[in-house]
């Protein structure tokens, strides 16, 4: 028997140039008032703007040949910070398995089973929903995102386990990852004598995150919104990545047809009404954060 689905998260990658400087709560809510309020008020006229802002340092890791990401695995470290990006929280390591097959993901495990049972490792099983799009690579041309005429979605399933790291815990080799998340050993296509492969880090990400806005759907169901903005390597006046998302939790793994339909329609309304500021060059923010092949 597989895991029960915890939530569905709808994600839309935006052109980061919607922010002309390092964002703050005032700028995030100005964007909400200008572009988002008119979309969500059809579902919930009382929906308010963002209320919470936070700052985090994030980095994604992989082997130089991307042995993890080529097998649908993502390793990330994250640390809460103050608004000047001075680290102020515990560093956390997350391993995520993400792919289109629900049953493979639902029956997988990553962290030690005893760590899951003791809630030392926080594990989530979610559905990631984005626009139906592909990244086309015409010969001799720059890659470009291609979308269908009729708006739709691309659905994938993700299992993520997160565990706190002690200040001196290393996470710079593949065997460090497998020690924390032994379930990944059967998912990575490397031999046992290769487990000491070094990990390469992607760019240091300064994340601005804005939360606290909720849109009422059917009954007690709510869509909880997040605006996430990334600046690579150092806080920048021109962010590198921007993503608007909302999460709808399930009821013990179930979601009624009316709730699912309203969330689907709401997401397609976002695709339609924000079409002029959707990122036309990339299909996911993670792909921009991974280390380059061969980077040490």
């Amino acid at each position: 028997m597989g895991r029960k689905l915890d939530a569905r998260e709808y994600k839309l990658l935006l052109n980061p140039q919607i922010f002309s400087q390092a964002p703050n709560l005032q700028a995030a809510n100005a964007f909400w008032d200008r572009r988002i309020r008119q979309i969500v008020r059809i579902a919930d006229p009382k929906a308010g703007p963002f209320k919470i802002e936070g700052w985090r340092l994030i980095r994604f890791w992989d082997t130089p040949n991307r042995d993890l990401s080529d097998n649908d695995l993502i390793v990330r470290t994250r640390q809460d910070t103050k608004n000047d990006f001075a680290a102020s929280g515990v560093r956390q390591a997350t391993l995520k398995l993400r792919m289109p097959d629900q049953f493979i993901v639902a029956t997988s495990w990553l962290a030690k089973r005893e760590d899951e049972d003791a809630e030392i490792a926080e594990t989530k099983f979610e559905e990631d929903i984005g626009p139906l799009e592909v990244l086309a690579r015409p010969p001799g041309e720059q890659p470009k995102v291609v979308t269908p005429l009729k708006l739709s979605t691309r659905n994938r399933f993700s299992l993520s386990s997160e565990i706190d790291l002690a200040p001196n815990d290393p996470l710079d080799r593949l065997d460090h990852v497998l020690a924390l998340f032994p379930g990944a050993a059967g998912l990575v296509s490397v031999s046992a004598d290769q487990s000491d492969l070094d990990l390469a880090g992607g760019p240091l990400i300064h994340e601005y995150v804005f939360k606290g806005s909720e849109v009422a759907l059917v009954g007690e169901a709510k869509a909880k919104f997040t605006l996430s903005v990334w600046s690579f390597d150092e806080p920048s006046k021109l962010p590198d990545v921007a993503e608007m998302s909302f999460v709808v939790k399930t009821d013990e793994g179930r979601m009624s047809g009316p709730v699912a339909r309203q969330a689907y329609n709401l997401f397609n309304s976002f695709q339609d009404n924000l079409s002029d500021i959707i990122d036309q060059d990339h299909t996911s923010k993670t792909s921009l954060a991974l280390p380059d092949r061969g980077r040490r």
Side-chain angles (χ1 to χ4, degrees):
M1 181 177 178
R3 302 171 186 267
K4 294 180 180 180
L5 194 69
D6 296 314
R8 310 179 85 193
E9 184 172 10
Y10 301 75
K11 302 177 179 180
L12 192 61
L13 199 61
L14 304 176
N15 186 333
Q17 293 181 1
I18 58 176
F19 295 101
S20 58
Q21 60 183 11
N24 52 40
L25 186 59
Q26 182 178 0
N29 281 333
F31 171 68
W32 177 277
D33 290 336
R34 186 172 67 253
R35 299 302 303 263
I36 306 303
R37 186 184 299 277
Q38 61 182 341
I39 304 173
V40 301
R41 67 183 180 187
I42 298 174
D44 182 2
K46 297 181 180 179
F50 300 110
K51 302 172 184 174
I52 303 168
E53 59 183 329
W55 307 268
R56 298 187 288 210
L57 290 173
I58 299 174
R59 178 163 273 166
F60 288 77
W61 303 86
D62 207 338
T63 66
N65 290 324
R66 292 199 178 177
D67 294 291
L68 291 166
S69 55
D70 284 352
N71 288 282
D72 302 308
L73 291 166
I74 299 165
V75 173
R76 180 193 70 207
T77 52
R78 185 167 68 187
Q79 190 171 23
D80 290 336
T81 74
K82 300 176 182 178
N83 60 2
D84 57 0
F85 288 102
S88 60
V90 175
R91 190 167 59 112
Q92 299 165 324
T94 299
L95 180 67
K96 179 179 289 189
L97 169 66
R98 181 165 56 197
M99 60 186 303
D101 194 295
Q102 176 180 359
F103 297 101
I104 293 176
V105 179
T107 54
S108 297
W109 61 281
L110 301 175
K112 298 174 185 177
R113 295 182 187 273
E114 58 267 30
D115 286 350
E116 270 198 37
D117 293 341
E119 298 184 352
I120 296 173
E122 181 182 1
T123 298
K124 298 177 182 178
F125 175 42
E126 300 177 316
E127 186 174 6
D128 287 349
I129 301 171
L132 180 58
E133 56 189 16
V134 296
L135 192 62
R137 292 179 171 85
E141 298 181 21
Q142 290 292 322
K144 185 177 181 180
V145 172
V146 178
T147 57
L149 292 177
K150 182 179 179 181
L151 294 174
S152 190
T153 61
R154 175 188 62 176
N155 298 42
R156 294 179 296 175
F157 296 86
S158 70
L159 179 69
S160 63
S161 286
E162 180 179 88
I163 192 165
D164 291 347
L165 294 173
N168 296 323
D169 280 352
L171 193 69
D172 54 11
R173 296 205 314 265
L174 181 58
D175 57 354
H176 295 157
V177 175
L178 299 182
L180 287 171
F181 307 103
L187 302 172
V188 183
S189 301
V190 297
S191 60
D193 60 356
Q194 291 179 293
S195 64
D196 62 346
L197 287 172
D198 289 339
L199 296 184
L204 180 63
I205 299 167
H206 299 76
E207 182 183 52
Y208 304 82
V209 60
F210 306 96
K211 296 185 175 185
S213 177
E214 297 182 350
V215 173
L217 301 176
V218 178
E220 298 297 318
K222 294 181 179 179
K224 297 186 177 182
F225 280 78
T226 298
L227 175 64
S228 175
V229 182
W230 287 359
S231 293
F232 293 151
D233 297 323
E234 62 181 21
S236 170
K237 291 185 177 181
L238 293 176
D240 297 287
V241 177
E243 181 185 78
M244 174 69 75
S245 65
F246 64 87
V247 172
V248 182
K249 291 186 177 181
T250 68
D251 181 11
E252 294 294 321
R254 300 182 298 272
M255 182 173 289
S256 73
V259 171
R261 171 61 68 179
Q262 191 169 10
Y264 179 81
N265 289 343
L266 180 61
F267 185 66
N268 280 340
S269 293
F270 270 83
Q271 293 192 64
D272 185 25
N273 287 278
L274 301 179
S275 60
D276 60 315
I277 57 171
I278 290 177
D279 190 321
Q280 299 292 320
D281 300 315
H282 308 96
T283 59
S284 76
K285 62 180 182 179
T286 303
S287 65
L288 295 167
L290 289 170
D292 294 335
R293 291 185 187 272
R295 180 186 291 184
R296 299 283 180 176

